[in-house]
Structure formats: structure tokens, C-alpha cells
Amino acid sequence: YFQDKADITDKLVLVGALRADKTTIDFTCLDGSCVKDNTSSSNTTSGSGGIVYSLNEKTSVYASYAQSYFPNSAERFDANGEP
């Protein structure tokens, strides 16, 4: 995870972040209806960014954007072991 901010002016700040995720899930079929045991892997990089503008010493406004990551899990495989 990496996050940084840049003070552009006394009133304007930019913020940003990057995150790298790697998920590996090994599972064994226990109910007998799966074709085989399986392994699921996923890699992703997600980020976020924003801008903060100070109207005065007590009030600021901001806007932000972010991405999320929903990793694979064994619970989301069907009865045949397929994603």
C-alpha cells in the first residue's frame, strides 16, 4: 500500500494511493458433487485519488474517487468447482 499527498497551494491538496493485492485460495470439495479440488488466484492493483480545497480555516470541501477489489473465494464457486 502506498499513499501520498501533495500541497499544491496553501488551499489546495491532492491525495492519492495505490494498493496491490494477491489472493490464492486452495480448496477441497467436501460434498462429493464437485468434479475436482481447485485453486483460485487473483492479482489486482487498485487506487484512489482526491482533492481537498480549503475555503477558510474552518471549512474545506473535497472530492474523491476510489476503486475496490473483491477477491475470489471458495464460496463463489459452483457445484462443479467452476468460478
Side-chain angles (χ1 to χ4, degrees):
Y1 187 81
F2 173 79
Q3 181 176 335
D4 201 4
K5 76 175 187 92
D7 295 321
I8 305 303
T9 68
D10 289 343
K11 294 184 174 256
L12 183 65
V13 176
L14 298 179
V15 293
L18 284 175
R19 176 180 172 147
D21 289 288
K22 179 178 180 179
T23 304
T24 302
I25 299 170
D26 296 317
F27 66 93
T28 302
C29 180
L30 298 177
D31 69 4
S33 63
C34 301
V35 175
K36 60 182 178 176
D37 297 340
N38 210 339
T39 298
S40 171
S41 296
S42 61
N43 296 303
T44 192
T45 302
S46 55
S48 64
I51 186 168
V52 181
Y53 185 77
S54 177
L55 298 173
N56 56 49
E57 289 187 20
K58 295 183 180 182
T59 307
S60 297
V61 293
Y62 73 94
S64 64
Y65 171 81
Q67 295 175 313
S68 62
Y69 170 59
F70 194 53
N72 290 332
S73 72
E75 289 82 22
R76 285 187 292 225
F77 281 78
D78 65 16
N80 295 318
E82 298 297 324

